[in-house]
Amino acid sequence: MNKVLVFLIFVIIFLVYKKINTKKTKNIKLNKFKNKLQSTQSNIERIFLREEEKTFSDPNINIYIGIHDNEDNINRKSNIHRARLTKFRKSKLNGEMIFQDDEQKIYKFNNGKRVYL
């Protein structure tokens, strides 16, 4: 009788432990997903992606590359500028409209004349 009672207690403890342990893994995954959606970093990344898409789709929006920008920002901005030149054959960089002709040469207008860069 004692052996059966001890066995039943161990089985009940094992089942309770297993049930608690499976709830933790599901909650951990769910919490991780929620935290990612609600984190300020992911919201900031989404805002930057929307801003980059808007900048990429309009060549008249000025892209300003300053001396205080870090290397990653400079690369990102220059890639957007090059993509706009390829797609629209014009792009505004640091307040100057820059154009690309059919021979892939890059120029800007200065006093009504083409100045190749």
mmCIF file of all heavy atoms in Angstrom, residues 29-61:
data_model
loop_
_atom_site.group_PDB
_atom_site.id
_atom_site.type_symbol
_atom_site.label_atom_id
_atom_site.label_comp_id
_atom_site.label_asym_id
_atom_site.label_seq_id
_atom_site.Cartn_x
_atom_site.Cartn_y
_atom_site.Cartn_z
ATOM 1 N N LYS A 29 7.782 32.014 -25.661
ATOM 2 C CA LYS A 29 7.745 32.318 -27.092
ATOM 3 C C LYS A 29 6.760 33.440 -27.383
ATOM 4 O O LYS A 29 7.040 34.342 -28.172
ATOM 5 C CB LYS A 29 7.381 31.070 -27.885
ATOM 6 C CG LYS A 29 8.463 30.023 -27.890
ATOM 7 C CD LYS A 29 8.038 28.795 -28.633
ATOM 8 C CE LYS A 29 9.099 27.706 -28.564
ATOM 9 N NZ LYS A 29 8.687 26.485 -29.244
ATOM 10 N N LEU A 30 5.595 33.385 -26.742
ATOM 11 C CA LEU A 30 4.594 34.422 -26.940
ATOM 12 C C LEU A 30 5.088 35.762 -26.416
ATOM 13 O O LEU A 30 4.929 36.791 -27.078
ATOM 14 C CB LEU A 30 3.286 34.023 -26.237
ATOM 15 C CG LEU A 30 2.119 34.973 -26.397
ATOM 16 C CD1 LEU A 30 1.725 35.067 -27.862
ATOM 17 C CD2 LEU A 30 0.949 34.497 -25.557
ATOM 18 N N ASN A 31 5.692 35.752 -25.250
ATOM 19 C CA ASN A 31 6.225 36.993 -24.682
ATOM 20 C C ASN A 31 7.343 37.571 -25.539
ATOM 21 O O ASN A 31 7.440 38.785 -25.707
ATOM 22 C CB ASN A 31 6.718 36.763 -23.255
ATOM 23 C CG ASN A 31 5.574 36.583 -22.289
ATOM 24 O OD1 ASN A 31 4.455 37.019 -22.551
ATOM 25 N ND2 ASN A 31 5.845 35.920 -21.182
ATOM 26 N N LYS A 32 8.176 36.722 -26.085
ATOM 27 C CA LYS A 32 9.255 37.179 -26.953
ATOM 28 C C LYS A 32 8.681 37.863 -28.196
ATOM 29 O O LYS A 32 9.155 38.917 -28.618
ATOM 30 C CB LYS A 32 10.128 35.987 -27.345
ATOM 31 C CG LYS A 32 11.430 36.338 -27.976
ATOM 32 C CD LYS A 32 12.258 35.078 -28.192
ATOM 33 C CE LYS A 32 13.609 35.380 -28.741
ATOM 34 N NZ LYS A 32 14.399 34.182 -28.964
ATOM 35 N N PHE A 33 7.640 37.264 -28.767
ATOM 36 C CA PHE A 33 6.982 37.836 -29.939
ATOM 37 C C PHE A 33 6.339 39.182 -29.598
ATOM 38 O O PHE A 33 6.478 40.159 -30.334
ATOM 39 C CB PHE A 33 5.933 36.851 -30.464
ATOM 40 C CG PHE A 33 5.173 37.346 -31.650
ATOM 41 C CD1 PHE A 33 5.769 37.419 -32.885
ATOM 42 C CD2 PHE A 33 3.850 37.735 -31.524
ATOM 43 C CE1 PHE A 33 5.077 37.876 -33.982
ATOM 44 C CE2 PHE A 33 3.147 38.190 -32.610
ATOM 45 C CZ PHE A 33 3.758 38.267 -33.845
ATOM 46 N N LYS A 34 5.639 39.250 -28.466
ATOM 47 C CA LYS A 34 5.005 40.500 -28.044
ATOM 48 C C LYS A 34 6.035 41.585 -27.799
ATOM 49 O O LYS A 34 5.850 42.736 -28.190
ATOM 50 C CB LYS A 34 4.197 40.283 -26.758
ATOM 51 C CG LYS A 34 2.881 39.631 -26.960
ATOM 52 C CD LYS A 34 2.174 39.537 -25.605
ATOM 53 C CE LYS A 34 0.857 38.823 -25.702
ATOM 54 N NZ LYS A 34 0.210 38.705 -24.372
ATOM 55 N N ASN A 35 7.103 41.226 -27.121
ATOM 56 C CA ASN A 35 8.142 42.211 -26.818
ATOM 57 C C ASN A 35 8.784 42.761 -28.083
ATOM 58 O O ASN A 35 9.117 43.942 -28.150
ATOM 59 C CB ASN A 35 9.202 41.612 -25.907
ATOM 60 C CG ASN A 35 8.684 41.364 -24.509
ATOM 61 O OD1 ASN A 35 7.699 41.962 -24.091
ATOM 62 N ND2 ASN A 35 9.332 40.465 -23.788
ATOM 63 N N LYS A 36 8.947 41.910 -29.074
ATOM 64 C CA LYS A 36 9.541 42.375 -30.325
ATOM 65 C C LYS A 36 8.612 43.362 -31.024
ATOM 66 O O LYS A 36 9.053 44.374 -31.551
ATOM 67 C CB LYS A 36 9.842 41.193 -31.244
ATOM 68 C CG LYS A 36 10.539 41.611 -32.512
ATOM 69 C CD LYS A 36 10.886 40.456 -33.386
ATOM 70 C CE LYS A 36 11.556 40.949 -34.652
ATOM 71 N NZ LYS A 36 11.786 39.898 -35.591
ATOM 72 N N LEU A 37 7.311 43.076 -31.013
ATOM 73 C CA LEU A 37 6.366 43.977 -31.664
ATOM 74 C C LEU A 37 6.217 45.293 -30.912
ATOM 75 O O LEU A 37 5.984 46.332 -31.507
ATOM 76 C CB LEU A 37 4.990 43.306 -31.781
ATOM 77 C CG LEU A 37 4.847 42.261 -32.866
ATOM 78 C CD1 LEU A 37 3.465 41.674 -32.841
ATOM 79 C CD2 LEU A 37 5.141 42.838 -34.230
ATOM 80 N N GLN A 38 6.335 45.239 -29.610
ATOM 81 C CA GLN A 38 6.114 46.431 -28.807
ATOM 82 C C GLN A 38 7.392 47.183 -28.483
ATOM 83 O O GLN A 38 7.333 48.259 -27.897
ATOM 84 C CB GLN A 38 5.416 46.053 -27.500
ATOM 85 C CG GLN A 38 4.020 45.530 -27.717
ATOM 86 C CD GLN A 38 3.377 45.043 -26.428
ATOM 87 O OE1 GLN A 38 4.049 44.875 -25.429
ATOM 88 N NE2 GLN A 38 2.084 44.817 -26.475
ATOM 89 N N SER A 39 8.527 46.680 -28.878
ATOM 90 C CA SER A 39 9.782 47.343 -28.519
ATOM 91 C C SER A 39 9.934 48.646 -29.305
ATOM 92 O O SER A 39 9.498 48.765 -30.446
ATOM 93 C CB SER A 39 10.976 46.433 -28.784
ATOM 94 O OG SER A 39 11.231 46.344 -30.158
ATOM 95 N N THR A 40 10.548 49.606 -28.692
ATOM 96 C CA THR A 40 10.741 50.897 -29.349
ATOM 97 C C THR A 40 11.736 50.776 -30.497
ATOM 98 O O THR A 40 11.612 51.489 -31.489
ATOM 99 C CB THR A 40 11.250 51.943 -28.339
ATOM 100 O OG1 THR A 40 12.438 51.447 -27.722
ATOM 101 C CG2 THR A 40 10.214 52.231 -27.280
ATOM 102 N N GLN A 41 12.692 49.852 -30.377
ATOM 103 C CA GLN A 41 13.677 49.677 -31.448
ATOM 104 C C GLN A 41 13.010 49.214 -32.736
ATOM 105 O O GLN A 41 13.315 49.722 -33.812
ATOM 106 C CB GLN A 41 14.756 48.674 -31.011
ATOM 107 C CG GLN A 41 15.873 48.505 -32.016
ATOM 108 C CD GLN A 41 16.681 49.766 -32.210
ATOM 109 O OE1 GLN A 41 16.771 50.601 -31.323
ATOM 110 N NE2 GLN A 41 17.262 49.917 -33.373
ATOM 111 N N SER A 42 12.085 48.259 -32.647
ATOM 112 C CA SER A 42 11.416 47.790 -33.865
ATOM 113 C C SER A 42 10.524 48.879 -34.439
ATOM 114 O O SER A 42 10.398 49.007 -35.661
ATOM 115 C CB SER A 42 10.615 46.522 -33.587
ATOM 116 O OG SER A 42 9.559 46.782 -32.686
ATOM 117 N N ASN A 43 9.907 49.696 -33.577
ATOM 118 C CA ASN A 43 9.098 50.810 -34.077
ATOM 119 C C ASN A 43 9.961 51.844 -34.785
ATOM 120 O O ASN A 43 9.571 52.368 -35.833
ATOM 121 C CB ASN A 43 8.330 51.468 -32.920
ATOM 122 C CG ASN A 43 7.215 50.596 -32.409
ATOM 123 O OD1 ASN A 43 6.738 49.709 -33.104
ATOM 124 N ND2 ASN A 43 6.805 50.831 -31.180
ATOM 125 N N ILE A 44 11.123 52.114 -34.240
ATOM 126 C CA ILE A 44 12.041 53.063 -34.874
ATOM 127 C C ILE A 44 12.503 52.522 -36.228
ATOM 128 O O ILE A 44 12.573 53.257 -37.217
ATOM 129 C CB ILE A 44 13.243 53.344 -33.949
ATOM 130 C CG1 ILE A 44 12.781 54.155 -32.737
ATOM 131 C CG2 ILE A 44 14.360 54.077 -34.679
ATOM 132 C CD1 ILE A 44 13.816 54.290 -31.651
ATOM 133 N N GLU A 45 12.802 51.227 -36.296
ATOM 134 C CA GLU A 45 13.225 50.630 -37.563
ATOM 135 C C GLU A 45 12.127 50.723 -38.612
ATOM 136 O O GLU A 45 12.398 51.013 -39.776
ATOM 137 C CB GLU A 45 13.621 49.172 -37.344
ATOM 138 C CG GLU A 45 14.919 49.002 -36.600
ATOM 139 C CD GLU A 45 15.219 47.561 -36.252
ATOM 140 O OE1 GLU A 45 14.452 46.667 -36.675
ATOM 141 O OE2 GLU A 45 16.227 47.325 -35.572
ATOM 142 N N ARG A 46 10.872 50.491 -38.199
ATOM 143 C CA ARG A 46 9.756 50.613 -39.148
ATOM 144 C C ARG A 46 9.614 52.033 -39.664
ATOM 145 O O ARG A 46 9.356 52.254 -40.846
ATOM 146 C CB ARG A 46 8.445 50.177 -38.480
ATOM 147 C CG ARG A 46 8.269 48.697 -38.477
ATOM 148 C CD ARG A 46 6.850 48.349 -38.068
ATOM 149 N NE ARG A 46 6.959 47.308 -37.066
ATOM 150 C CZ ARG A 46 6.351 47.275 -35.906
ATOM 151 N NH1 ARG A 46 5.534 48.218 -35.563
ATOM 152 N NH2 ARG A 46 6.543 46.285 -35.073
ATOM 153 N N ILE A 47 9.792 53.015 -38.787
ATOM 154 C CA ILE A 47 9.695 54.412 -39.209
ATOM 155 C C ILE A 47 10.796 54.737 -40.213
ATOM 156 O O ILE A 47 10.549 55.374 -41.245
ATOM 157 C CB ILE A 47 9.772 55.345 -37.977
ATOM 158 C CG1 ILE A 47 8.497 55.202 -37.152
ATOM 159 C CG2 ILE A 47 9.979 56.795 -38.400
ATOM 160 C CD1 ILE A 47 8.563 55.873 -35.798
ATOM 161 N N PHE A 48 12.026 54.276 -39.947
ATOM 162 C CA PHE A 48 13.119 54.529 -40.885
ATOM 163 C C PHE A 48 12.879 53.835 -42.226
ATOM 164 O O PHE A 48 13.190 54.392 -43.278
ATOM 165 C CB PHE A 48 14.458 54.079 -40.297
ATOM 166 C CG PHE A 48 15.087 55.099 -39.400
ATOM 167 C CD1 PHE A 48 15.308 54.829 -38.066
ATOM 168 C CD2 PHE A 48 15.456 56.337 -39.892
ATOM 169 C CE1 PHE A 48 15.885 55.765 -37.234
ATOM 170 C CE2 PHE A 48 16.038 57.297 -39.072
ATOM 171 C CZ PHE A 48 16.246 57.005 -37.741
ATOM 172 N N LEU A 49 12.317 52.643 -42.198
ATOM 173 C CA LEU A 49 12.029 51.953 -43.460
ATOM 174 C C LEU A 49 11.001 52.723 -44.281
ATOM 175 O O LEU A 49 11.139 52.864 -45.492
ATOM 176 C CB LEU A 49 11.541 50.529 -43.186
ATOM 177 C CG LEU A 49 12.616 49.526 -42.787
ATOM 178 C CD1 LEU A 49 11.977 48.186 -42.441
ATOM 179 C CD2 LEU A 49 13.625 49.351 -43.904
ATOM 180 N N ARG A 50 9.953 53.218 -43.623
ATOM 181 C CA ARG A 50 8.951 54.015 -44.336
ATOM 182 C C ARG A 50 9.565 55.285 -44.897
ATOM 183 O O ARG A 50 9.275 55.686 -46.028
ATOM 184 C CB ARG A 50 7.790 54.369 -43.396
ATOM 185 C CG ARG A 50 6.799 53.253 -43.257
ATOM 186 C CD ARG A 50 5.570 53.722 -42.497
ATOM 187 N NE ARG A 50 5.424 52.803 -41.377
ATOM 188 C CZ ARG A 50 5.274 53.140 -40.122
ATOM 189 N NH1 ARG A 50 5.215 54.393 -39.770
ATOM 190 N NH2 ARG A 50 5.175 52.238 -39.183
ATOM 191 N N GLU A 51 10.423 55.919 -44.110
ATOM 192 C CA GLU A 51 11.074 57.150 -44.558
ATOM 193 C C GLU A 51 12.000 56.873 -45.743
ATOM 194 O O GLU A 51 12.041 57.641 -46.705
ATOM 195 C CB GLU A 51 11.858 57.763 -43.395
ATOM 196 C CG GLU A 51 12.335 59.163 -43.650
ATOM 197 C CD GLU A 51 11.200 60.161 -43.787
ATOM 198 O OE1 GLU A 51 10.145 59.981 -43.169
ATOM 199 O OE2 GLU A 51 11.396 61.123 -44.551
ATOM 200 N N GLU A 52 12.728 55.758 -45.704
ATOM 201 C CA GLU A 52 13.609 55.400 -46.823
ATOM 202 C C GLU A 52 12.806 55.097 -48.081
ATOM 203 O O GLU A 52 13.201 55.478 -49.179
ATOM 204 C CB GLU A 52 14.474 54.201 -46.454
ATOM 205 C CG GLU A 52 15.626 54.535 -45.568
ATOM 206 C CD GLU A 52 16.505 53.339 -45.265
ATOM 207 O OE1 GLU A 52 16.276 52.260 -45.854
ATOM 208 O OE2 GLU A 52 17.413 53.475 -44.450
ATOM 209 N N GLU A 53 11.675 54.408 -47.938
ATOM 210 C CA GLU A 53 10.829 54.117 -49.100
ATOM 211 C C GLU A 53 10.305 55.402 -49.715
ATOM 212 O O GLU A 53 10.265 55.547 -50.939
ATOM 213 C CB GLU A 53 9.670 53.211 -48.695
ATOM 214 C CG GLU A 53 10.075 51.797 -48.403
ATOM 215 C CD GLU A 53 8.905 50.954 -47.900
ATOM 216 O OE1 GLU A 53 7.752 51.426 -47.956
ATOM 217 O OE2 GLU A 53 9.158 49.843 -47.445
ATOM 218 N N LYS A 54 9.899 56.344 -48.866
ATOM 219 C CA LYS A 54 9.400 57.618 -49.368
ATOM 220 C C LYS A 54 10.514 58.380 -50.074
ATOM 221 O O LYS A 54 10.308 58.929 -51.158
ATOM 222 C CB LYS A 54 8.843 58.438 -48.197
ATOM 223 C CG LYS A 54 8.140 59.704 -48.620
ATOM 224 C CD LYS A 54 7.452 60.351 -47.436
ATOM 225 C CE LYS A 54 8.393 61.368 -46.838
ATOM 226 N NZ LYS A 54 7.783 62.167 -45.773
ATOM 227 N N THR A 55 11.709 58.386 -49.506
ATOM 228 C CA THR A 55 12.850 59.070 -50.115
ATOM 229 C C THR A 55 13.252 58.402 -51.426
ATOM 230 O O THR A 55 13.572 59.069 -52.399
ATOM 231 C CB THR A 55 14.052 59.070 -49.151
ATOM 232 O OG1 THR A 55 13.650 59.662 -47.925
ATOM 233 C CG2 THR A 55 15.215 59.843 -49.715
ATOM 234 N N PHE A 56 13.205 57.085 -51.449
ATOM 235 C CA PHE A 56 13.583 56.357 -52.666
ATOM 236 C C PHE A 56 12.599 56.617 -53.802
ATOM 237 O O PHE A 56 12.982 56.691 -54.960
ATOM 238 C CB PHE A 56 13.655 54.858 -52.381
ATOM 239 C CG PHE A 56 13.947 54.037 -53.598
ATOM 240 C CD1 PHE A 56 15.211 54.009 -54.133
ATOM 241 C CD2 PHE A 56 12.943 53.312 -54.222
ATOM 242 C CE1 PHE A 56 15.492 53.254 -55.268
ATOM 243 C CE2 PHE A 56 13.203 52.566 -55.347
ATOM 244 C CZ PHE A 56 14.476 52.542 -55.880
ATOM 245 N N SER A 57 11.324 56.779 -53.482
ATOM 246 C CA SER A 57 10.314 56.889 -54.536
ATOM 247 C C SER A 57 10.191 58.292 -55.112
ATOM 248 O O SER A 57 9.516 58.477 -56.121
ATOM 249 C CB SER A 57 8.952 56.440 -54.004
ATOM 250 O OG SER A 57 8.533 57.306 -52.975
ATOM 251 N N ASP A 58 10.816 59.301 -54.506
ATOM 252 C CA ASP A 58 10.712 60.670 -55.006
ATOM 253 C C ASP A 58 12.108 61.271 -55.169
ATOM 254 O O ASP A 58 12.782 61.553 -54.180
ATOM 255 C CB ASP A 58 9.886 61.517 -54.035
ATOM 256 C CG ASP A 58 9.592 62.912 -54.579
ATOM 257 O OD1 ASP A 58 9.918 63.182 -55.756
ATOM 258 O OD2 ASP A 58 9.037 63.723 -53.818
ATOM 259 N N PRO A 59 12.559 61.500 -56.420
ATOM 260 C CA PRO A 59 13.919 62.030 -56.613
ATOM 261 C C PRO A 59 14.067 63.498 -56.227
ATOM 262 O O PRO A 59 15.172 64.006 -56.149
ATOM 263 C CB PRO A 59 14.159 61.824 -58.110
ATOM 264 C CG PRO A 59 12.817 61.826 -58.703
ATOM 265 C CD PRO A 59 11.900 61.215 -57.687
ATOM 266 N N ASN A 60 12.956 64.197 -55.977
ATOM 267 C CA ASN A 60 13.029 65.610 -55.621
ATOM 268 C C ASN A 60 13.239 65.840 -54.123
ATOM 269 O O ASN A 60 13.466 66.963 -53.691
ATOM 270 C CB ASN A 60 11.767 66.336 -56.083
ATOM 271 C CG ASN A 60 11.669 66.343 -57.595
ATOM 272 O OD1 ASN A 60 12.650 66.546 -58.294
ATOM 273 N ND2 ASN A 60 10.485 66.087 -58.108
ATOM 274 N N ILE A 61 13.168 64.786 -53.316
ATOM 275 C CA ILE A 61 13.443 64.909 -51.888
ATOM 276 C C ILE A 61 14.952 64.975 -51.701
ATOM 277 O O ILE A 61 15.699 64.165 -52.229
ATOM 278 C CB ILE A 61 12.853 63.716 -51.106
ATOM 279 C CG1 ILE A 61 11.328 63.727 -51.200
ATOM 280 C CG2 ILE A 61 13.285 63.762 -49.657
ATOM 281 C CD1 ILE A 61 10.670 62.532 -50.535
#
